[in-house]
Amino acid sequence: MLISSKGRYALRLMIYIAAFGDAEGKIALREVAAREDISLKYLEQLVRPLMHAGLLRSVRGKGGGYALARPADEIRAGDILRAAEGTTAPVACEGLEGACERAGLCSTVKFWTGLDAVIEEYVDGVTLSELARVPEIQLDVDIKPVF
């Protein structure tokens, strides 16, 4: 699976909000853009799918910005990546969705299905609160996050 800049920057945006949001949990996109060196216009495009997925909420008015729509320990890295990317599937294979006529004959569907399951388990096993307090993830042999 190749995560595009949308997924990478959406993850960085959400981690920044979780780590540095004010007392009400909100933060201005301008601050995130400056601190994370990401274009403000690009961040403005990223917040739409994150809001649509119920991960972010807009805070209007003076001192407004964006805040998490749910507690950080209830938001998974997979939620963010799926909102930004649309999927975490490792390949464009209809067999992963059970829609391929050749799935019973194809020797790779089982492999792709297994790889997809490992990816889903990993990205859904890491919460935003864990990412916001740990500077980098280190993996052990089991491919489980060590925090």
Side-chain angles (χ1 to χ4, degrees):
M1 168 177 88
L2 180 64
I3 302 294
S4 73
S5 60
K6 286 191 298 189
R8 293 190 332 268
Y9 290 174
L11 202 54
R12 286 171 55 191
L13 167 65
M14 295 291 286
I15 291 168
Y16 193 91
I17 292 171
F20 301 111
D22 67 11
E24 298 169 15
K26 70 181 182 313
I27 201 151
L29 281 186
R30 264 186 221 290
E31 179 180 335
V32 180
R35 299 281 183 164
E36 290 292 316
D37 194 27
I38 302 171
S39 157
L40 179 59
K41 288 194 179 283
Y42 199 67
L43 287 175
E44 288 169 346
Q45 293 173 17
L46 289 176
V47 297
R48 287 185 202 113
L50 294 169
M51 289 177 59
H52 183 71
L55 302 174
L56 270 185
R57 62 183 175 84
S58 172
V59 180
R60 300 201 183 272
K62 185 176 181 178
Y66 290 90
L68 301 179
R70 302 191 320 242
D73 60 353
E74 293 179 14
I75 299 173
R76 307 275 173 193
D79 299 330
I80 299 164
L81 292 173
R82 282 186 291 274
E85 298 284 349
T87 181
T88 58
V91 293
C93 173
E94 292 178 359
L96 290 174
E97 298 157 11
C100 182
E101 299 171 2
R102 294 182 26 91
L105 304 170
C106 183
S107 58
T108 62
V109 170
K110 188 173 182 179
F111 175 78
W112 297 131
T113 302
L115 181 57
D116 186 46
V118 170
I119 291 169
E120 290 287 324
E121 181 181 354
Y122 183 75
V123 298
D124 287 337
V126 180
T127 66
L128 183 57
S129 62
E130 291 167 331
L131 290 171
R133 74 172 175 258
V134 177
E136 65 182 67
I137 296 174
Q138 296 180 359
L139 303 177
D140 67 12
V141 180
D142 295 71
I143 315 226
K144 302 235 186 229
V146 177
F147 295 98

